[in-house]
């Protein structure tokens, strides 16, 4: 048995405000993520408090895994540095059952760090324009394998 951890950045923002909603492209990306994970839905979703992470995960909150909705864990930043936040997320993942499927919706500055903390040392940094990367980690004891994929429309990083 191995845990599966799916790491994505929140989908495209509608604007540059402090707590933006998703743009139309972001809404489409959230739906694409839900469609992609529908056959193996998460048993747990972890996200930060901003609405953009919640709106990215929202379509998956209604997809049942083994007859039940996924658990939702909101992981606040308040009072933590980014490294402390990353270690908290990694610790929460490690506490889950060995067959858990966990979706983590984070940010461009946290997704690669979380992947590294979970054993994928080669996780590349994420430019601010990149919304389509999906990192799938399989955690089997001390062994981590990773697959990098893309979902939804290609991100415009040019």
């Amino acid at each position: 048995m191995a845990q599966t951890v799916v790491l994505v950045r929140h989908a495209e923002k509608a604007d540059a405000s402090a707590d933006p909603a998703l743009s139309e492209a972001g809404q489409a990306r959230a739906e694409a993520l839900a469609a992609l994970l529908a056959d193996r839905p998460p048993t747990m979703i972890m996200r930060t408090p901003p609405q953009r992470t919640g709106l990215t995960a929202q379509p998956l909150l209604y997809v049942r895994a083994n007859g039940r909705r996924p658990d939702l864990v909101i992981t606040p930043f308040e009072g933590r540095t980014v490294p402390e936040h990353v270690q908290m997320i990694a610790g929460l993942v490690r506490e889950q059952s060995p067959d858990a499927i966990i979706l983590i919706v984070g940010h461009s500055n946290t997704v690669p760090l979380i992947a590294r903390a979970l054993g994928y040392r080669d996780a590349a940094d994420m430019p601010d324009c990149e919304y389509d990367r999906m990192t799938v980690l399989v955690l089997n004891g001390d062994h981590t394998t990773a697959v990098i994929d893309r979902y939804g429309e290609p991100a415009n990083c040019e």
Side-chain angles (χ1 to χ4, degrees):
M1 251 188 276
Q3 282 183 337
T4 301
V5 179
V6 179
L7 287 154
V8 297
R9 178 188 182 195
H10 61 77
E12 290 89 334
K13 303 177 277 189
D15 56 51
S17 64
D19 190 16
L22 297 182
S23 66
E24 285 186 32
Q27 293 168 17
R29 187 170 308 285
E31 292 295 334
L33 179 63
L36 188 63
L37 299 179
D39 289 342
R40 286 197 66 214
T43 53
M44 173 178 277
I45 297 172
M46 293 184 191
R47 70 171 188 85
T48 55
Q51 70 171 331
R52 61 191 175 270
T53 61
L55 293 171
T56 301
Q58 187 172 14
L60 282 159
L61 288 174
Y62 304 101
V63 177
R64 294 184 180 273
N66 301 321
R68 58 178 272 225
R69 288 186 181 173
D71 295 328
L72 175 63
V73 176
I74 299 176
T75 57
F77 279 121
E78 292 83 25
R80 291 185 183 90
T81 64
V82 170
E84 289 169 341
H85 175 79
V86 166
Q87 288 307 311
M88 179 193 68
I89 298 282
L92 287 171
V93 167
R94 289 185 183 104
E95 291 173 2
Q96 303 313 306
S97 69
D99 62 343
I101 300 171
I102 303 165
L103 170 66
I104 301 173
V105 182
H107 303 270
S108 61
N109 67 328
T110 61
V111 166
L113 297 176
I114 294 167
R116 291 177 200 142
L118 291 172
Y120 178 43
R121 304 285 177 232
D122 295 332
D125 288 340
M126 183 176 279
D128 194 47
C129 58
E130 187 176 15
Y131 293 94
D132 61 346
R133 184 192 314 176
M134 179 172 59
T135 303
V136 180
L137 304 177
V138 177
L139 310 179
N140 195 350
D142 291 336
H143 184 69
T144 300
T145 58
V147 174
I148 307 302
D149 205 351
R150 303 288 171 177
Y151 72 102
E153 291 295 317
N156 184 9
C157 281
E158 296 173 14

